[in-house]
Amino acid sequence: TSTGAFSTTGDVNLAANITTTDTDLTIGGNLVVAEAATPTLSTGAGTAGNVLVSGTTNGTTGGVAENLTVQAGTGTVTFTGNVGNATNATELEALTITNAGATLFSGAVTLANALTQTNAATGATTFTGAVSVGSADLKGTAFNVNNSFASAGTTAFTNSGVLTKNSTGNITSTGAFSTTGDVNLAAN
């Protein structure tokens, strides 16, 4: 726990929580979740600290799948690199964002299990890279899907703003697909 900002310039192998109080939390390199760990990166539930992971975000090969939770209050959440991968089903396989303002996934998101936003993001959620998840339960205002978005289970967008899908790739869902708000489609 840090009452000031927390930052690294290199890679982090994480087995426990990192918590700040209303200040930024920055991982300057790759984030690897330790074997069987379920850590939380948190700046507080009602606070404005931002969470940034500059490199890739993944788990540890072998054993059981890892989960990561991110809590940014009203701050932004940014994953600059890829989140998860399709190489091994026992690495990082679930991501939950409990609270956030704007949320940006710049790279691919590949998780065998759930991608979840527990509470509605107060800013836009943007997916720049391809997304492939076991299921998606996403809550927020606007959503920008700028590449393919595939779910092996149900896909639910609880959106008070517009869900915009650009012309690159399609949205596919093996299970039910739903939105609660308007949708602007440029692809299937």
Side-chain angles (χ1 to χ4, degrees):
T1 301
S2 173
T3 55
F6 175 90
S7 66
T8 68
T9 57
D11 297 344
V12 173
N13 189 315
L14 188 62
N17 301 339
I18 299 175
T19 303
T20 67
T21 305
D22 196 22
T23 55
D24 293 349
L25 192 162
T26 303
I27 307 293
N30 298 322
L31 173 62
V32 176
V33 178
E35 177 57 38
T38 58
T40 298
L41 301 176
S42 176
T43 62
T47 61
N50 302 312
V51 176
L52 167 65
V53 179
S54 295
T56 61
T57 302
N58 207 351
T60 304
T61 303
V64 299
E66 289 81 43
N67 303 314
L68 178 65
T69 300
V70 178
Q71 165 74 278
T74 59
T76 61
V77 172
T78 304
F79 289 95
T80 302
N82 294 341
V83 176
N85 66 45
T87 304
N88 185 302
T90 62
E91 295 176 303
L92 178 66
E93 300 301 342
L95 174 63
T96 300
I97 299 174
T98 56
N99 288 294
T103 304
L104 172 63
F105 295 92
S106 295
V109 178
T110 309
L111 304 167
N113 297 324
L115 174 61
T116 306
Q117 284 174 306
T118 307
N119 298 302
T122 57
T125 299
T126 302
F127 298 96
T128 302
V131 175
S132 177
V133 295
S135 64
D137 182 9
L138 304 172
K139 297 175 178 70
T141 55
F143 289 90
N144 302 302
V145 180
N146 298 329
N147 209 310
S148 61
F149 192 105
S151 171
T154 59
T155 305
F157 287 93
T158 303
N159 56 307
S160 60
V162 177
L163 166 65
T164 301
K165 173 63 189 92
N166 78 0
S167 61
T168 303
N170 296 317
I171 295 175
T172 57
S173 183
T174 302
F177 176 87
S178 64
T179 68
T180 58
D182 295 339
V183 177
N184 183 352
L185 289 178
N188 296 332

